[in-house]
Amino acid sequence: MASKPDETRDGVDLTNLDQPLFDGAEATKRDLVDYLDGVHERILVELRERPLSVIRIRPGQPAFMQKNVPKYTPDWVKTVPVWAEASKREVSYALCDDRRTLLWFANQRAVEYHPTLVRADRRDHVTHLVLDLDPPEGETFAMAVQAAFLVRQALTDAGLSGAVKTSGAKGVHVFVPIDDSVSIEDAAAATRAIAARAEKLDRSVATTAYIKEDRHGKVFVDSTRSGGATVVAAYSPRVRPGTPVSFPVGWDDLDRVTPRDFTVRTAVAQLGDADRWADQLPAPQSLPEDLLEEGRAIPIARVIAMHEGKRRKRAREAEEKATEEKS
C-alpha cells in the first residue's frame, strides 16, 4: 500500500519531505523541492526542449546519473528517443518542459539537472559554446576565477561576449550563445580556439592539457563540451556538501563570491524577482572566421589524449619488460 503523501503540488504527490537529502547535504528533501519550485520559471528556460540527464540520490546509496527514464515515469512526462552510439541502443530522455515535470523529478530525489547543448528538434546545432574551468586538486575556486577572466579576455579579443556562473562544485562555466548558422563541428572548433587563446594569455594559470598529469597544478580549460554533451544547468543544485547550486554571477562580482554562497537554502532569497542568467546572457552571436580556422587546426583533446594514453601505456610496458629482462 502506497504511503500517504506529505503534500501535493500541481498534481504531484510529494513524499518523505523531511528526510535528509543526503549525507552532508545540510538540507532535507523538502528544501530541494521548495528550492526547485522557487526557481522553476528560471530553470525551466534552461531545461525546456532539451534531452535531460539527472543525478539522483536514494537514501543510503551513492548518487547515480539517470538518462533513460524509468518504467514508472508518468505518461504526462514528455520524452524523446535518442540513439546512444556508445551503448548501441535507443535512450528515452525526459524533456522537463513544465513545473509539474520538475516537481516529479524533485520527488524522485533528482538533485542535479544536466540538459544537452542541443534542442530536441535541432540536434544539428548547439545553442552555446561552453568553457568549463576546473581548478586542480586541492586548489581553490579563486584559481578558476583567474582562468575565467582569461577566457573573458580571449572572447573580447574575438569580438564575442559570454555569461559566467559558478558550476556549483569548485569551478566556473562560461557560456557563449551562438546563432544557428554554426555547425556542431565549427562550434567545437571555436571552443577549442578560445581555450587555446585563454591558455596563451597566461600559461602559469590555464592549460588545455586533457591528461591530468600534464596539467601541473593549472586550471583545465575544458573545451570538450560540444555536440551531444551536457552541462549542469544554471540554477541546478549539486550533490556536494551543503547542496550548493550553479549560480549566475556578474563578471564584476566573480572574484567576490564562493560556491558555498549559493545553496538550496539561500539562493532563492538572493535572486529576488530577477532572472540573473537570462539578464546576463548576450544575444546569440556569429563566430569570426579566423577563430573557426584556428580551431579547425587544433586536434580534438579527447582523441589526442586517447592516442597519448596508448603511447604511454606501450612505453611503460616496454620499460617494465626491459627491467624484468635485466633482473
Side-chain angles (χ1 to χ4, degrees):
M1 183 175 174
S3 60
K4 185 179 178 182
D6 295 350
E7 62 177 275
T8 300
R9 299 187 201 179
D10 209 353
V12 178
D13 290 340
L14 303 170
T15 58
N16 303 313
L17 292 178
D18 295 323
Q19 285 185 354
L21 192 54
F22 54 86
D23 288 344
E26 301 171 21
T28 62
K29 183 178 171 184
R30 183 184 299 277
D31 292 322
L32 174 70
V33 171
D34 286 347
Y35 168 76
L36 287 169
D37 204 10
V39 298
H40 77 267
E41 290 182 353
R42 302 173 182 92
I43 196 170
L44 286 173
V45 174
E46 308 308 308
L47 304 182
R48 197 170 281 124
E49 300 176 11
R50 297 177 187 270
L52 178 67
S53 301
V54 295
I55 292 182
R56 294 174 57 194
I57 188 158
R58 295 189 179 113
Q61 297 183 27
F64 64 97
M65 178 166 274
Q66 175 183 292
K67 298 182 179 183
N68 211 23
V69 294
K71 291 180 180 178
Y72 55 79
T73 302
D75 56 11
W76 44 261
V77 172
K78 289 169 63 177
T79 61
V80 60
V82 178
W83 178 255
E85 189 58 38
S87 56
K88 304 293 184 188
R89 67 185 182 118
E90 197 170 72
V91 175
S92 184
Y93 283 85
L95 298 177
C96 190
D97 288 358
D98 53 41
R99 176 182 179 234
R100 189 183 188 191
T101 302
L102 183 65
L103 287 170
W104 180 79
F105 269 116
N107 193 57
Q108 297 295 307
R109 291 178 178 264
V111 178
E112 299 191 13
Y113 295 77
H114 295 250
T116 59
L117 291 172
V118 299
R119 291 194 170 92
D121 61 347
R122 279 295 312 273
R123 296 183 207 174
D124 61 335
H125 167 65
V126 296
T127 53
H128 303 78
L129 309 183
V130 176
L131 285 303
D132 182 1
L133 308 171
D134 185 21
E137 200 66 40
E139 284 298 335
T140 62
F141 176 74
M143 198 169 179
V145 169
Q146 290 182 57
F149 286 130
L150 297 178
V151 170
R152 186 190 192 190
Q153 185 61 55
L155 289 171
T156 299
D157 293 345
L160 299 169
S161 59
V164 65
K165 65 184 179 74
T166 67
S167 70
K170 60 178 182 175
V172 174
H173 293 155
V174 180
F175 273 56
V176 184
I178 58 173
D179 64 31
D180 59 9
S181 68
V182 185
S183 68
I184 281 182
E185 293 75 21
D186 275 352
T191 310
R192 293 195 296 273
I194 292 164
R197 291 183 182 187
E199 178 184 37
K200 287 175 187 174
L201 287 170
D202 193 340
R203 295 183 184 276
S204 70
V205 171
T207 179
T208 57
Y210 192 78
I211 299 174
K212 279 191 176 181
E213 63 194 62
D214 293 344
R215 296 177 192 167
H216 307 298
K218 301 172 187 176
V219 177
F220 176 43
V221 185
D222 186 355
S223 63
T224 63
R225 302 300 183 95
S226 60
T230 66
V231 181
V232 71
Y235 304 114
S236 172
R238 303 300 304 269
V239 181
R240 299 288 190 280
T243 324
V245 305
S246 182
F247 200 80
V249 182
W251 284 106
D252 293 342
D253 296 323
L254 188 58
D255 56 0
R256 303 174 192 168
V257 302
T258 71
R260 288 279 305 217
D261 292 342
F262 316 107
T263 73
V264 292
R265 300 183 72 175
T266 65
V268 173
Q270 295 183 66
L271 283 167
D273 295 330
D275 183 345
R276 290 194 184 187
W277 193 232
D279 293 344
Q280 290 172 201
L281 280 171
Q285 302 153 93
S286 58
L287 298 177
E289 189 58 35
D290 66 318
L291 188 74
L292 296 173
E293 286 298 327
E294 182 179 335
R296 289 169 188 145
I298 299 172
I300 297 170
R302 280 197 178 97
V303 176
I304 293 292
M306 181 182 67
H307 291 307
E308 179 61 15
K310 289 178 179 178
R311 186 196 68 77
R312 292 184 188 187
K313 183 181 178 184
R314 289 194 299 269
R316 280 196 304 271
E317 290 172 347
E319 186 177 339
E320 289 167 2
K321 185 177 180 182
T323 302
E324 287 174 3
E325 289 173 350
K326 284 181 182 178
S327 58

